[in-house]
Amino acid sequence: MTNLKRPTIKEVAIQSGVSVQTVSRVINNRPDVAPDTRLKVQEVIQVLGYQPNALARSLIQQRTNTLGVVTNNLNFIGVSRTLNGITHMAEELGYALQLKSFHAFKPEEVAEVLNDLLSHQVEGIVWAMPEIGNNRLWLDQECPDLPVPMVFLTMQVRPCLPVINFDNLAGGRMAVNHLLQQGYRHIAHISGPLDWWESRQRKLGWETALQENGMMVNDSHWAEGDWSASCGAAVYQHLKESYAQMDAVFVANDQMALGVLQAARNSGIDIPGSLGLVGFDGLPESAFSVPPLTTVFQDQSALGSLAVTQLHEMIETQRSGRLKPFTEPVWLNPELIIRHSSQKPQAVYLGSGIPQTANHK
Amino acid sequence: MTNLKRPTIKEVAIQSGVSVQTVSRVINNRPDVAPDTRLKVQEVIQVLGYQPNALARSLIQQRTNTLGVVTNNLNFIGVSRTLNGITHMAEELGYALQLKSFHAFKPEEVAEVLNDLLSHQVEGIVWAMPEIGNNRLWLDQECPDLPVPMVFLTMQVRPCLPVINFDNLAGGRMAVNHLLQQGYRHIAHISGPLDWWESRQRKLGWETALQENGMMVNDSHWAEGDWSASCGAAVYQHLKESYAQMDAVFVANDQMALGVLQAARNSGIDIPGSLGLVGFDGLPESAFSVPPLTTVFQDQSALGSLAVTQLHEMIETQRSGRLKPFTEPVWLNPELIIRHSSQKPQAVYLGSGIPQTANHK
DNA sequence: CTGAAAGCGCTTACAG
DNA sequence: CTGAAAGCGCTTACAG
């Protein structure tokens, strides 16, 4: 079923009655080949189905046109959207992609993963594994020596290291400010696992927004989840006890928010009437929950594309000798998508007060 | 920031005062090296941070330990779950992974993708791109010659080709039978795009189950969607017109089913009271819709793992000379997850009739 | 136990 | 315009 032998340049040369150098010239579209010779060689290539061996070529040229990609477990939905952007841009720029993914992160595996990629002579690496726990310990030096250009996604900024992040803090702040504008006054938070850098940033966004509006941040007003919907539901039940006045929740991802949505409905709590809800991520599904979920969207596909673009530039810069010392961190802005879950119905007009916005001017 | 030169075996040899062959022996843990020599060489390797060049090694050994993976656009959630299984098993079996993904499928790109992978001397390929339209035209020969062992996922079975599928027809049948058992009698179907093989199979499952139960299959009882939630909602509205008696829908994927769910609720239609609903895929989110969605779960991660396992066996078999001609198609069974969206409330006891199951025996 | 020779499949100067 | 020579970084026999 499979014919094992792939023809080599030597066989093409023999069949064409020329030397391997001449075949090489034809393959690489060099001008200095006699038209007849070129035709003959091309014909033989066609007949034999010859394809140059990329390994041999890379070995002699000292260039693989290959990028390494390191990701988290691909069951996490975000990662695969990033990977999508990476594959697109890599294709466009002519890079092959070697993929390594951590299943469960173990610090001792970092060297292994890195060495594996390097032994394959990748020209650069996109480190798309998010910062969790101490999985950046290996980078915590003043200015770490990297064996090839690398771009890091989703981690705390470190000296001399090119990182690209969504501004999670700004995202959290946006979410909470929106809820405040809508008139919610007791805004709880369900965070992701706090060993994730992203979780901490989103939580910080929540705190910042509250403080900027002169509100207290209280430890009974938030709780930690594990990103899963079921956990979101459970944590919400807990918050109802610890924070009785709660009238809104900013949840650190959409999946947990969907859990909250379900739990709230099961308790007969009206969203957005009695509880405002904002998630984070912008999953397509979130638009189709009941009610549709307001969320902080991050375009992770764009993140992936940008990472490859930047890596490409770094590689080219380095190759050309102009060694730009290091690239500044890049911050991407997430985007608030306002849907029904956070649209507080207008307060009933009581007559006893005057609407604030109506009488001035 | 990046130190360009990686040391070679030659440098290690010079520093150690031995020949490159001896270094090679040490690297590969050969027994025939004097203990002192080995120690000395290991020390130098350590100091220089030497790593053998996988390219050179592969070239001489004629073995890359690399698998190619071809996927659909990774924004489709299913693909990334499959990819997750693939990376796990590849890691476990010691294969590196080269990833190619189609963004928009173009027939003329098949050769390109294939050649690209082959020029990198991959030892096998997992074709995880599903069968859509005529994207299997290149395989439609009596017994196609494949340049390396390949495993095909999610396509119509073809002679001499190893394919691994979920039994989508059985899945559709299961879904509809379940709805029938629940007492629904007018079961509509929203299919995926019919140029997808999976869509056609699921639809066939729906038809089969209806016919097996002596019910008519009518063209006004189904309509085609595009996998998206918004389309699911739109198609449902359409079916309400064309199939007024409809009391249940089997939807070809969860995302569209979520769209139906939302549209139905917005029209004040009770699920599962007035409309039974079953999806397909088993997205984690589906458990957290309101009401939770009954769905046909396919463990795509397992599919990916199995593909790599099987590919590995094919490669080993071929290498060892025992050439097993080809592997039989494998069918995996999807699994019905029953949740609230399909649990028809017991019919009200009217008194005028006798409950069918209560009086016999 | 160790090294000289040959070669994997290419490309890069260098002659002619 | 074309070919002989050298070499990319390794490993595999083959001597000793």
Side-chain angles (χ1 to χ4, degrees):
Chain A
M1 156 187 153
T2 60
N3 42 356
L4 287 169
K5 282 287 155 211
R6 317 193 69 222
T8 68
I9 196 174
K10 203 167 162 188
E11 297 173 45
V12 176
I14 294 172
Q15 297 269 335
S16 317
V18 298
S19 68
V20 293
Q21 292 93 310
T22 300
V23 178
S24 174
R25 286 188 189 96
V26 174
I27 299 168
N28 295 289
N29 276 314
R30 296 282 157 70
D32 49 352
V33 182
D36 290 3
T37 314
R38 167 168 275 128
L39 249 64
K40 175 64 189 163
V41 172
Q42 281 169 337
E43 191 193 320
V44 174
I45 287 176
Q46 186 76 329
V47 171
L48 294 182
Y50 169 73
Q51 276 276 124
N53 182 325
L55 262 43
R57 194 175 249 175
S58 292
L59 189 58
I60 191 76
Q61 291 189 142
Q62 304 283 66
R63 200 178 195 325
T64 56
N65 288 304
T66 299
L67 261 30
V69 181
V70 180
T71 70
N72 198 1
N73 192 309
L74 288 163
N75 275 339
F76 284 97
I77 179 68
V79 189
S80 81
R81 298 200 293 180
T82 306
L83 191 52
N84 187 50
I86 292 174
T87 58
H88 271 62
M89 193 49 78
E91 175 84 35
E92 195 157 323
L93 296 176
Y95 287 103
L97 239 39
Q98 184 140 354
L99 177 65
K100 299 288 285 180
S101 75
F102 284 104
H103 317 143
F105 178 84
K106 292 176 206 138
E108 64 272 20
E109 282 179 359
V110 170
E112 196 181 312
V113 163
L114 222 40
N115 283 336
D116 191 40
L117 252 22
L118 292 174
S119 76
H120 285 272
Q121 316 298 117
V122 296
E123 299 183 7
I125 297 176
V126 180
W127 198 268
M129 169 89 187
E131 178 164 1
I132 306 171
N134 60 359
N135 78 358
R136 288 299 186 286
L137 226 47
W138 60 288
L139 287 173
D140 283 334
Q141 307 157 29
E142 204 174 312
C143 234
D145 251 9
L146 301 180
V148 293
M150 292 180 75
V151 172
F152 294 87
L153 268 34
T154 317
M155 75 170 192
Q156 189 175 331
V157 171
R158 282 170 177 73
C160 317
L161 252 26
V163 352
I164 311 183
N165 282 332
F166 276 99
D167 192 337
N168 286 277
L169 194 156
R173 218 159 138 256
M174 249 192 264
V176 173
N177 277 327
H178 165 67
L179 286 167
L180 287 169
Q181 276 163 22
Q182 287 291 316
Y184 297 103
R185 285 296 171 268
H186 303 282
I187 303 171
H189 177 53
I190 299 179
S191 77
L194 286 180
D195 53 346
W196 289 55
W197 173 80
E198 289 159 286
S199 299
R200 293 193 298 274
Q201 292 296 109
R202 291 173 197 175
K203 176 163 177 281
L204 209 54
W206 169 72
E207 293 169 358
T208 306
L210 290 183
Q211 282 162 354
E212 284 172 352
N213 286 278
M215 313 181 96
M216 292 286 287
V217 175
N218 188 306
D219 264 352
S220 60
H221 295 178
W222 72 277
E224 182 176 352
D226 69 0
W227 297 131
S228 78
S230 60
C231 186
V235 169
Y236 167 70
Q237 298 295 0
H238 166 75
L239 281 173
K240 275 208 302 189
E241 315 266 314
S242 66
Y243 189 11
Q245 298 180 88
M246 162 173 74
D247 64 357
V249 201
F250 163 51
V251 189
N253 75 337
D254 284 357
Q255 305 223 18
M256 290 195 294
L258 293 176
V260 172
L261 204 58
Q262 194 187 67
R265 291 195 72 97
N266 288 345
S267 315
I269 290 173
D270 176 47
I271 296 177
S274 313
L275 187 75
L277 194 58
V278 179
F280 207 111
D281 267 351
L283 299 188
E285 291 81 39
S286 311
F288 289 87
S289 58
V290 184
L293 184 67
T294 294
T295 184
V296 181
F297 172 68
Q298 37 179 0
D299 186 347
Q300 312 211 60
S301 185
L303 177 71
S305 296
L306 183 59
V308 173
T309 307
Q310 180 161 321
L311 195 52
H312 173 64
E313 275 170 25
M314 290 166 66
I315 292 169
E316 289 306 312
T317 308
Q318 171 174 307
R319 185 178 311 282
S320 70
R322 307 169 271 125
L323 36 106
K324 217 160 73 191
F326 108 96
T327 315
E328 288 296 315
V330 176
W331 290 93
L332 301 179
N333 287 315
E335 198 179 318
L336 184 68
I337 300 180
I338 300 176
R339 292 198 277 245
H340 196 57
S341 70
S342 62
Q343 311 253 27
K344 192 174 170 75
Q346 288 309 309
V348 178
Y349 200 102
L350 290 175
S352 66
I354 297 164
Q356 235 186 317
T357 47
N359 59 345
H360 301 288
K361 138 152 222 262
Chain B
M1 157 188 151
T2 59
N3 41 357
L4 286 170
K5 281 288 156 211
R6 316 192 69 222
T8 69
I9 195 173
K10 202 168 164 186
E11 297 173 45
V12 176
I14 294 171
Q15 297 270 336
S16 316
V18 298
S19 68
V20 293
Q21 291 92 311
T22 300
V23 176
S24 175
R25 286 189 189 95
V26 173
I27 298 168
N28 295 289
N29 275 314
R30 295 283 157 70
D32 50 351
V33 183
D36 290 3
T37 314
R38 168 167 277 129
L39 249 63
K40 176 64 190 161
V41 172
Q42 280 168 338
E43 191 194 319
V44 173
I45 287 176
Q46 188 74 330
V47 171
L48 294 181
Y50 169 74
Q51 277 275 123
N53 182 324
L55 261 43
R57 193 176 248 175
S58 293
L59 189 59
I60 190 76
Q61 291 187 142
Q62 304 283 67
R63 200 175 193 331
T64 55
N65 289 304
T66 299
L67 261 30
V69 181
V70 180
T71 71
N72 198 0
N73 191 309
L74 288 162
N75 275 342
F76 284 98
I77 178 69
V79 189
S80 80
R81 299 200 293 179
T82 305
L83 191 53
N84 187 49
I86 291 174
T87 56
H88 271 63
M89 191 51 76
E91 175 84 36
E92 195 157 324
L93 296 175
Y95 287 104
L97 241 38
Q98 184 140 355
L99 178 65
K100 299 287 284 181
S101 75
F102 284 103
H103 317 143
F105 178 85
K106 293 177 206 137
E108 63 273 20
E109 282 180 0
V110 170
E112 197 181 311
V113 164
L114 222 39
N115 283 336
D116 192 40
L117 252 21
L118 292 173
S119 75
H120 285 274
Q121 316 299 115
V122 296
E123 300 183 6
I125 297 175
V126 180
W127 199 268
M129 169 89 187
E131 178 164 359
I132 307 171
N134 60 0
N135 78 356
R136 288 300 187 282
L137 227 46
W138 59 289
L139 287 173
D140 283 334
Q141 307 158 28
E142 204 174 313
C143 235
D145 251 8
L146 301 180
V148 292
M150 292 181 75
V151 171
F152 294 87
L153 268 34
T154 317
M155 76 170 192
Q156 188 175 333
V157 171
R158 281 171 177 74
C160 318
L161 252 28
V163 352
I164 311 183
N165 281 332
F166 275 99
D167 191 337
N168 285 277
L169 193 156
R173 219 160 137 255
M174 250 192 268
V176 174
N177 277 328
H178 164 67
L179 286 167
L180 288 169
Q181 276 162 23
Q182 288 290 315
Y184 297 104
R185 285 295 171 269
H186 303 283
I187 302 170
H189 177 53
I190 299 179
S191 77
L194 286 179
D195 52 346
W196 288 55
W197 173 80
E198 291 159 286
S199 300
R200 294 194 298 274
Q201 292 296 109
R202 291 172 198 176
K203 175 162 178 283
L204 210 53
W206 169 71
E207 293 170 358
T208 305
L210 290 183
Q211 282 163 352
E212 283 173 352
N213 285 278
M215 312 181 96
M216 291 288 286
V217 176
N218 189 305
D219 263 353
S220 61
H221 296 177
W222 72 277
E224 182 175 352
D226 69 359
W227 297 132
S228 77
S230 60
C231 186
V235 170
Y236 166 71
Q237 300 292 4
H238 166 74
L239 280 174
K240 275 208 301 189
E241 315 265 314
S242 67
Y243 190 10
Q245 298 179 86
M246 163 172 72
D247 64 356
V249 202
F250 163 51
V251 188
N253 76 337
D254 284 357
Q255 306 222 16
M256 290 196 294
L258 293 176
V260 173
L261 204 59
Q262 193 186 67
R265 292 194 72 99
N266 288 346
S267 315
I269 290 173
D270 177 48
I271 294 177
S274 314
L275 188 74
L277 194 59
V278 179
F280 207 110
D281 269 349
L283 299 188
E285 291 81 39
S286 311
F288 289 86
S289 58
V290 183
L293 184 67
T294 294
T295 185
V296 181
F297 171 68
Q298 38 179 0
D299 186 348
Q300 311 211 61
S301 184
L303 177 72
S305 297
L306 184 59
V308 174
T309 307
Q310 180 161 320
L311 194 53
H312 174 64
E313 276 169 23
M314 291 166 67
I315 292 169
E316 288 306 311
T317 308
Q318 171 174 306
R319 186 179 309 280
S320 70
R322 307 169 270 126
L323 36 106
K324 217 158 73 191
F326 106 97
T327 315
E328 289 295 317
V330 176
W331 290 93
L332 301 179
N333 288 313
E335 197 180 320
L336 184 69
I337 300 181
I338 300 176
R339 292 197 277 246
H340 196 58
S341 72
S342 63
Q343 312 254 25
K344 193 176 170 74
Q346 288 310 309
V348 178
Y349 199 101
L350 290 175
S352 64
I354 296 164
Q356 234 185 316
T357 46
N359 59 345
H360 301 288
K361 140 153 220 267

